[in-house]
Amino acid sequence: MIDYRVSPETQARLAEAAEIGRKELRPAGLEADGRGAPIPPDDAFFERCLARGEGGTVWAGPDGKRATGPRRSVVERLLLSEELAYWDRGVIIAMPGPGLPENNVLSMGTDEQKERFLGPFLARDRPRWACFGMTEPGAGSDAAAIRTTARKDGDGWILNGAKCFIGGASRSDWILVQATLDPTKGRGAQRAFFVEAGTPGLGGFKIEKKMGLKAYESTSFTLDDCRVPAENLLGGEARYESSAGFKTAMRTFNAGRPQIAANAVGMARAALDESIRFARENDLLGRDRVRDRIEAISRKVRKARLVCLKAGWLADEERPNIIEASMSKALAAQMAQEATTLGLELVGLVGARGDHLIEKLYRDVKAMDIVEGTGQVQRMIIARTLVGLPR
């Protein structure tokens, strides 16, 4: 039986997240959007994040005794992610921490790598970031088509290539870079490497100008004969038999897709609430067409949340969730775009001024259909899995 109950501790955390969102996240997101630039790394906002206990790692330290806070189920994490995105999705991505590659390091990293790369996040002595470098200018959503190369050179590796739209790359202590030993050998030739800030050959950082989610930086960079030591290969060479490298990257995305879906549900809720508020204040709720649209979006928000939670519940049960993970992202991203479109239609010319929350959400939410595999990619994954089509 599917059980979505959450603990009293998580209910309290959801209430706390709503309070932080109202006081901190939404104002910070609106300010960054108005400025058209990410929150600077030395902004006091990040110090306040650390003071609240954020920005750390769930790794328990070399002796396994470091307090890392309560371990939450995937369902609970999705609910928290939804609530935080309700207030501002761009700001929560900007927050310090080991981010997307943390789970890969925990599942595949050696003990030495966990201590070396996650250990500093235990201290919370300053805002720190890490990120995952997968997307490339010529590969887009096709993770198997990356062209960044890795060549063995004595006791190290030489990386060459370019990455784009990598969250927080220019401020990260390290980047987990996905590369291939031979582009003609497909997924089995992929590897992941830790590339630390300041490594010679890592450079060309350029923060992209985006239509939305401006609170966090999306950065392009290059790897030009960038040499890293052998111990920077995630998990060591023994881990990379068959297609372990590609599967590791995909594990990240299978875990991340329901998170994106939860973000989209939160943003849709925000658009819906703002639409209802505007309709009430402007005597629009008496119109059948307005009520019908609001009811339809409300129903779709609930449907998307249930699909998202099922993906999380399967993960908690350690059962395959690739179909549900892709379904949740494809469904929630599309639904959120519908919700913001409805809102923009309701506010009309007010939304065209460029300073209304719904107009911001309309620009923010498009990324939910793009990041970690477009809606089209999700539908291909679902079709391949359901009917066994070859890759």
Side-chain angles (χ1 to χ4, degrees), residues 285-302:
L285 288 176
R287 300 180 185 182
D288 290 342
R289 181 175 177 276
V290 171
R291 290 203 304 266
D292 180 69
R293 295 291 298 277
I294 288 175
E295 183 280 328
I297 297 298
S298 300
R299 176 163 33 88
K300 291 180 181 181
V301 168
R302 295 185 184 193

Side-chain angles (χ1 to χ4, degrees), residues 24-26 28-30 32-33 37-39 45-46 49 81 84-96 129 167-168 171 210 212-218 263-264 267 360-361 363-365 367-368:
E24 292 263 13
L25 305 188
R26 183 159 292 170
L30 290 171
D33 191 70
I39 303 173
F45 171 81
F46 295 125
C49 291
S81 187
L84 292 171
Y86 175 93
W87 297 101
D88 199 287
R89 199 265 177 179
V91 173
I92 63 174
I93 300 302
M95 292 166 77
W129 290 268
R171 63 183 68 184
K210 300 177 294 188
L213 299 176
K214 296 181 179 179
Y216 78 96
E217 63 165 82
S218 294
N263 290 169
M267 297 164 80
K360 176 180 179 294
L361 288 166
R363 288 184 284 107
D364 285 353
V365 82
M368 299 299 96

